[in-house]
Amino acid sequence: MQLTLMQYGIPEDKIFLDFAGFRTLDSVVRAKEIFGQKKLIIISQKFHNERAVFLARKNGIEAYGYNAKDVNKYAGLKTNSREYLAKAKVYWDLIFGVERNMEGIRF
């Protein structure tokens, strides 16, 4: 993704990689708490944007999703199956108050 952004003219020093964002919840919260972002535009496939924007807004971030081209049928089956589990996990986390993983934070 970084290379594609750079090919479209985004300067490398304006791209910040989050190597500790292992889950969508971690990534959106880290965007706020580590990278100081209060507003996000999330670029991903529609199925992922629905979850990512929901999680960002639940954590006080103004977020919007921009839907990228969907994955092919083979990858789509695998990805969509994974997404059903990921969405269920979002609700599990909300119901049981699971905290986000902020390990490995370096200031």
Side-chain angles (χ1 to χ4, degrees):
M1 185 176 281
Q2 179 185 19
L3 294 175
T4 301
L5 290 170
M6 290 168 53
Q7 287 173 351
Y8 280 94
I10 306 299
E12 186 174 3
D13 67 336
K14 300 295 181 192
I15 302 169
F16 298 93
L17 304 178
D18 181 15
F19 294 105
F22 300 110
R23 298 176 38 197
T24 303
L25 175 61
D26 296 339
S27 293
V28 297
V29 172
R30 288 174 57 77
K32 179 181 176 184
E33 295 181 6
I34 303 302
F35 298 106
Q37 301 303 300
K38 296 177 180 152
K39 297 179 182 181
L40 297 177
I41 296 174
I42 301 167
I43 303 170
S44 189
Q45 284 81 24
K46 182 178 186 259
F47 65 85
H48 182 251
N49 278 339
E50 292 169 347
R51 182 166 46 91
V53 169
F54 172 80
L55 286 168
R57 290 179 179 174
K58 279 296 219 184
N59 283 280
I61 302 166
E62 184 179 341
Y64 301 91
Y66 179 82
N67 296 337
K69 183 180 173 184
D70 214 350
V71 294
N72 66 38
K73 285 187 177 188
Y74 171 73
L77 177 62
K78 178 180 171 186
T79 303
N80 286 327
S81 298
R82 182 197 172 282
E83 187 62 18
Y84 285 116
L85 296 172
K87 284 182 179 178
K89 184 150 179 29
V90 167
Y91 291 107
W92 177 273
D93 291 350
L94 287 172
I95 291 168
F96 293 102
V98 173
E99 294 293 320
R100 58 208 170 262
N101 178 9
M102 298 301 283
E103 291 179 23
I105 298 173
R106 288 179 235 152
F107 293 97

